[in-house]
Amino acid sequence: VCLNGQQSHTVVAAAPMSCSGGSPVFTQACSSVPAPSPNVTITINSPKGGEAFTTRASSVELGGTVASGATTVEVNGKPATIDAASHVWHYRAKLDEGDNTLVVRSYNTDRSSNASASITITRDSTAPGPVSNLRGQFNDAQVHLTWQSPGDDDVKTYHVYRVTGTTGIELTTTHSTEATVRGIGPFAVTAEDTAGNESDLADAPRFTVTRDSGFSDVPSTQSASAAIAMLREHGIVQGRGDGTFDPNGLVSRAEFAK
């Protein structure tokens, strides 16, 4: 038994010993063993597996696991929600523009033990500038488009649209500065950065295929000229036989059936 720093041992002798008052007792110094610290280990599992990343969002949902000894979790000093039964925690963190370092710390009941983990999230809400020098080469109903990247160094994807008025139908995405699409346009290309910001379609340059239609009443400057030229080359339309197409004329049933 350890009492007041002294450990007492009772010795039972096999034969009488030269002592009085019963079995001899001797003492030796001892020290108390402290109770083990509770396990309060914490991890960040989401978002992105706890790795640093860039986003355009104004807030993110943090979450992870925590050991059974933890009863409190805080993110930059603010309380997070913890499910002690499932050993998980979560917290909605607001983000400022630029780098945000979020330190997550867990504590036991009396806060005598703690553990921590951290993640850096960069908020970028600025879209890249427009692409430039959009060009195209038409060949058999396909257009090979090329363009130059904007000056932003974080562009990762380009979106290619067919534009009607102020709206666009996305045809394809690419990581390079070229793409092949079908049709005659008008086409437009936007840039997207690593945070998911996309340049404004309204500011994007346009490219429209212009071709000589082969008909005297459809100049190459008319928007339908390239489409009419393509139909003529494939034998779908022949015009009126006098070198004209008559773009405002009525289509006969026989012509439509072709």
Side-chain angles (χ1 to χ4, degrees):
V1 181
C2 188
L3 297 173
N4 299 321
Q6 298 293 316
Q7 186 171 7
S8 299
H9 299 265
T10 300
V11 180
V12 179
M17 299 181 67
S18 57
C19 64
S20 62
S23 300
V25 175
F26 68 93
T27 63
Q28 77 178 48
C30 67
S31 59
S32 60
V33 179
S37 299
N39 185 358
V40 294
T41 304
I42 192 167
T43 62
I44 302 173
N45 297 336
S46 63
K48 307 291 185 180
E51 299 293 332
F53 70 100
T54 301
T55 180
R56 62 178 178 174
S58 59
S59 66
V60 295
E61 184 76 15
L62 299 179
T65 59
V66 68
S68 59
T71 58
T72 301
V73 173
E74 296 177 356
V75 179
N76 286 2
K78 297 180 180 179
T81 301
I82 180 172
D83 184 340
S86 301
H87 308 305
V88 296
W89 64 271
H90 61 88
Y91 178 83
R92 170 62 66 173
K94 293 183 178 180
L95 302 177
D96 296 325
E97 192 75 10
D99 292 340
N100 297 262
T101 299
L102 304 173
V103 179
V104 184
R105 196 174 297 276
S106 56
Y107 299 90
N108 65 331
T109 302
D110 63 5
R111 300 176 75 89
S112 60
S113 295
N114 69 84
S116 65
S118 65
I119 182 174
T120 298
I121 303 174
T122 302
R123 186 187 180 205
D124 175 9
S125 60
T126 303
V131 305
S132 60
N133 201 28
L134 178 62
R135 299 177 182 273
Q137 184 174 358
F138 182 82
N139 182 24
D140 194 22
Q142 289 189 325
V143 180
H144 184 71
L145 298 170
T146 61
W147 58 89
Q148 291 181 346
S149 174
D152 307 74
D153 58 5
D154 59 346
V155 173
K156 69 168 186 176
T157 305
Y158 298 96
H159 301 263
V160 181
Y161 295 90
R162 179 181 291 115
V163 181
T164 303
T166 59
T167 61
I169 299 174
E170 187 171 73
L171 302 178
T172 188
T173 60
T174 179
H175 297 299
S176 66
T177 54
E178 59 181 310
T180 299
V181 294
R182 298 187 66 86
I184 59 173
F187 303 106
V189 178
T190 62
E192 180 184 337
D193 63 20
T194 55
N197 302 297
E198 185 176 352
S199 59
D200 195 340
L201 181 62
D203 297 331
R206 268 51 168 176
F207 175 80
T208 302
V209 175
T210 57
R211 296 185 62 197
D212 183 1
S213 68
F215 299 105
S216 60
D217 57 348
V218 182
S220 60
T221 54
Q222 185 169 324
S223 60
S225 175
I228 293 171
M230 183 177 62
L231 294 174
R232 180 180 60 80
E233 291 170 359
H234 286 78
I236 298 174
V237 298
Q238 290 83 34
R240 296 304 185 193
D242 59 355
T244 64
F245 180 73
D246 191 14
N248 297 318
L250 299 177
V251 178
S252 68
R253 180 178 295 180
E255 291 173 327
F256 182 78
K258 293 182 180 182

